[in-house]
Amino acid sequence: MHIVIPLFPRYTTLDAIGPYEVLRFIPDAEITFAAAETDPVPADSGALAITHTTPLNEIETCDIVVVPGGPGSRAENKQLVAWLSMIHPKSRWTTSVCTGALVLGSAGLLKGLDAATHWNPKVVQRLEELGARYVTDRVVFDDEHRIVTSAGVSAGIDMALALAARITDQVTAEAIQLAIQYDPQPPFDSGSPDKATENVRQRALELLGSKTT
């Protein structure tokens, strides 16, 4: 089971590492971090980078693709987009976390499909410009097109667990959830724009804006 996580400059670390920590428990899983260049790929924090990647052009087939999001997803990423267009017909599932959906959309994979992404209105607008129908679900499976999209950052863990159940079985997926002790008990109930107050939503947008310049 070959799983590829393609990276681009200024990706969000948890978007990649959250699913990685889940999917690496799948029996016979082989996970490859890939990038257009082999240099260290910096995350959006500026403090972290994945130093060992495989060139995208060396990967001609794989079973699963997990595209993270991050400020860099708004860039053109021409080589990644071209690679996704080539690899998707050969993959079992092509997936995205957060604004990684914009990369899938740029590759023409989401036209006419329901898709999840980060709730930021600017992101939603861009997703719909790329032909997708934004939905507020945390994880969206499109079985016909073999595409899975998920909402912002932490939703990548949920997506990976749901995908693990599809690939293996529910008991294995639940065992992975237990292995990583994923039992969310957040101190606040403001993790969705529908639950957060207007003040909290505006403050979140301010914080996001400070990370995307």
Side-chain angles (χ1 to χ4, degrees):
M1 173 67 63
H2 188 197
I3 301 166
V4 177
I5 304 176
L7 303 177
F8 46 82
R10 303 183 72 212
Y11 70 94
T12 295
T13 308
L14 186 58
D15 286 9
I17 300 303
Y20 166 80
E21 285 295 339
V22 172
L23 298 175
R24 72 186 184 92
F25 281 99
I26 292 176
D28 301 321
E30 173 193 352
I31 300 182
T32 299
F33 288 99
E37 305 293 341
T38 56
D39 293 332
V41 184
D44 58 358
S45 65
L48 299 172
I50 290 180
T51 58
H52 181 70
T53 59
T54 298
L56 281 172
N57 59 15
E58 293 184 7
I59 301 173
E60 297 182 354
T61 61
C62 66
D63 298 292
I64 309 292
V65 180
V66 181
V67 181
S73 64
R74 281 78 150 180
E76 289 189 60
N77 294 309
K78 290 183 179 179
Q79 188 170 339
L80 173 54
V81 166
W83 180 82
L84 283 171
S85 299
M86 179 277 297
I87 206 77
H88 173 64
K90 307 174 187 180
S91 71
R92 289 178 59 181
W93 291 100
T94 300
T95 76
S96 66
V97 182
C98 195
T99 58
L102 301 183
V103 184
L104 267 58
S106 295
L109 303 184
L110 299 181
K111 290 181 179 178
L113 306 186
D114 290 343
T117 191
H118 195 279
W119 60 271
N120 186 328
K122 292 181 179 179
V123 174
V124 172
Q125 179 181 356
R126 180 57 183 152
L127 180 72
E128 293 182 336
E129 289 172 351
L130 292 168
R133 294 184 296 267
Y134 170 67
V135 295
T136 59
D137 298 24
R138 194 159 170 83
V139 179
V140 178
F141 274 81
D142 188 307
D143 294 283
E144 179 182 354
H145 298 90
R146 300 172 292 103
I147 288 176
V148 194
T149 54
S150 56
V153 192
S154 62
I157 297 174
D158 298 48
M159 182 274 292
L161 286 167
L163 185 61
R166 297 283 188 107
I167 295 170
T168 58
D169 54 73
Q170 184 171 333
V171 171
T172 300
E174 290 186 10
I176 294 172
Q177 180 179 3
L178 178 58
I180 65 173
Q181 201 166 352
Y182 181 55
D183 185 25
Q185 299 177 37
F188 313 110
D189 192 21
S190 59
S192 162
D194 295 332
K195 298 177 180 180
T197 65
E198 180 62 23
N199 285 343
V200 170
R201 288 194 293 270
Q202 290 303 315
R203 181 58 176 149
L205 291 172
E206 291 172 5
L207 294 172
L208 288 166
S210 70
K211 299 298 183 184
T212 56
T213 54

